């Protein structure tokens, strides 16, 4: 009888314990504003999880580098301090050199080509290339093509000579400015506005949505529409955290994430044009459209960067990315 009572007590406390189990917490840390493709994607993911896994999984979103800068967030994921992030593909080079392919100047003709490459066999393989570092890539998220801003008009590569440009932590991006005789400065995103405002640097490269949402256009007199490179993200988690999610929870989290990414990609497409138009309408910065021969000059001037990084990235990977420019 005593044994029966003890067993019953055990079962009861296990059930009660199960009912009261604290929800699994997913902290999503990012550096951009909420009104951006990544910011909106994160909020959509939180909403979907609240609807589908109430009380079981809790998502907290930390925008604007409130929690971690992009240079620290991957380390934080590995340490289990946050569970989800979506750093720019340009910020992975301390983990693998392969993603540097996305930084090669003038590689992709447009965002459709970027999407084709990301969804190709080679692009999907890249997502798993961080596993040995304890990171699991769950998908790509778009932002858009980058533009060049400065405090003087930039029409051709000679105009960049001697100027200081902020770049993300990527040697390819640094080389891209060195080949046009400019000075790259690697700095976190959260510092860019102040660096521009105080004129500690002359310019930077970014997407329309980042230039708009962080008000860079208010402290830069000119923005040249170069579309010279892509700024996209990897949605990433810790291998350990992902593998440890209960088997009835993981598929729901994954489905919600994929839906949030699809939504974020639609936002990226809309905001790219919308934010560019908002900047033009503000009249705070002049938007320069290049002629095709001026754009060709930038392309030619930056071309040596490809050769410089070909061995690190891999010629096959560069070729696969180039193929994505052709529509089959
Ligand atoms: C940057 O540092 O310029 C971007 O990576 C910011 C972002 O996450 O879009």
């Amino acid at each position: 009888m005593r044994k029966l009572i003890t067993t019953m007590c055990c079962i009861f406390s296990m059930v009660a314990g199960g009912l009261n189990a604290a929800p699994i917490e997913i902290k999503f840390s990012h550096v951009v504003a909420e009104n951006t493709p990544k910011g909106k994607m994160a909020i959509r993911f939180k909403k979907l999880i609240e609807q589908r896994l109430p009380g079981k999984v809790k998502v907290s979103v930390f925008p604007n580098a409130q929690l971690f800068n992009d240079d620290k967030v991957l380390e934080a994921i590995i340490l289990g301090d946050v569970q989800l992030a979506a750093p720019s593909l340009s910020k992975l080079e301390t983990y693998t050199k392969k993603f540097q392919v996305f930084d090669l100047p003038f590689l992709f003709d447009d965002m459709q080509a970027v999407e084709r490459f990301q969804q190709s066999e080679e692009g999907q393989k890249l997502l798993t290339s961080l596993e040995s570092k304890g990171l699991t890539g769950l998908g790509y998220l778009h932002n858009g093509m980058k533009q060049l801003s400065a405090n003087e008009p930039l029409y051709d590569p000679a105009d960049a000579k001697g100027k200081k440009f902020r770049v993300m932590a990527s040697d390819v991006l640094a080389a891209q400015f060195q080949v046009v005789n400019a000075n790259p400065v690697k700095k976190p995103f959260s510092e860019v506005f102040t660096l521009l405002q105080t004129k500690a640097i002359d310019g930077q490269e970014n997407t329309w949505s980042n230039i708009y949402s962080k008000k860079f256009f208010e402290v830069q007199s000119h923005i040249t529409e170069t579309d010279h490179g892509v700024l996209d993200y990897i949605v990433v988690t810790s291998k350990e955290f992902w593998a440890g999610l209960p088997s009835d929870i993981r598929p729901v989290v994954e489905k919600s994430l994929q839906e949030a990414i699809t939504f974020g990609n639609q936002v990226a497409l809309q905001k790219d044009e919308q934010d560019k138009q908002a900047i033009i309408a503000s009249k705070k910065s002049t938007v320069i459209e290049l002629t095709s021969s001026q754009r060709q000059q930038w392309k030619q001037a930056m071309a040596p960067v490809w050769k410089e990084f070909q061995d690190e990235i891999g010629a096959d990977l560069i070729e696969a990315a180039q193929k994505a420019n052709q529509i089959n």
Side-chain angles (χ1 to χ4, degrees), residues 225-325:
E225 189 170 22
T226 45
D227 287 329
H228 63 281
V230 60
L231 197 168
D232 263 15
Y233 309 112
I234 181 172
V235 180
V236 67
T237 186
S238 123
K239 197 176 156 186
E240 197 185 324
F241 172 76
W242 195 242
L245 281 178
S247 57
D248 57 330
I249 300 273
R250 196 187 311 117
V252 186
V253 175
E254 182 154 28
K255 183 171 184 284
S256 307
L257 208 46
Q258 293 312 329
E259 286 177 26
I261 288 175
T262 305
F263 171 70
N265 286 344
Q266 286 162 5
V267 174
L269 208 63
Q270 287 162 8
K271 288 202 89 39
D272 199 53
E273 187 54 31
Q274 230 173 45
D275 290 352
K276 171 183 156 185
Q277 291 310 330
I279 291 169
I280 294 171
S282 78
K283 296 195 165 55
K284 290 189 171 159
S285 188
T286 306
V287 173
I288 298 170
E289 277 183 37
L290 295 177
T291 64
S292 59
S293 98
Q294 284 166 334
R295 192 165 183 275
Q296 194 56 28
Q297 282 182 50
W298 285 96
K299 191 171 173 175
Q300 261 167 20
M302 291 181 169
V305 176
W306 287 36
K307 228 191 168 99
E308 194 179 331
F309 289 89
Q310 179 173 296
D311 291 345
E312 273 184 12
I313 299 169
D316 289 0
L317 197 57
I318 298 176
E319 202 183 314
Q322 272 182 297
K323 274 201 190 128
N325 285 324

Side-chain angles (χ1 to χ4, degrees), residues 64-120:
N64 295 311
Q66 272 169 19
L67 215 51
F68 290 104
N69 256 325
D70 271 344
D71 56 341
K72 289 278 179 287
V73 80
L74 292 173
E75 216 176 296
I77 285 190
I78 293 168
L79 293 172
D81 293 336
V82 292
Q83 289 67 39
L84 214 52
S88 153
L89 299 169
S90 312
K91 295 175 180 171
L92 299 168
E93 74 178 18
T94 49
Y95 294 85
T96 167
K97 303 284 183 200
K98 294 283 167 198
F99 284 94
Q100 293 187 133
V101 66
F102 287 100
D103 286 341
L104 292 177
F106 296 97
L107 172 55
F108 296 106
D109 289 347
D110 49 33
M111 289 307 289
Q112 286 76 24
V114 174
E115 169 71 14
R116 279 193 292 274
F117 175 59
Q118 289 174 349
Q119 298 313 322
S120 71

Side-chain angles (χ1 to χ4, degrees), residues 31-32 38 70 88 91 143 166 168 189 206 210 231 233:
V31 298
V32 290
K38 185 160 53 182
D70 271 344
S88 153
K91 295 175 180 171
N143 186 328
R166 177 267 174 172
M168 293 180 268
F189 186 60
N206 231 304
N210 280 346
L231 197 168
Y233 309 112

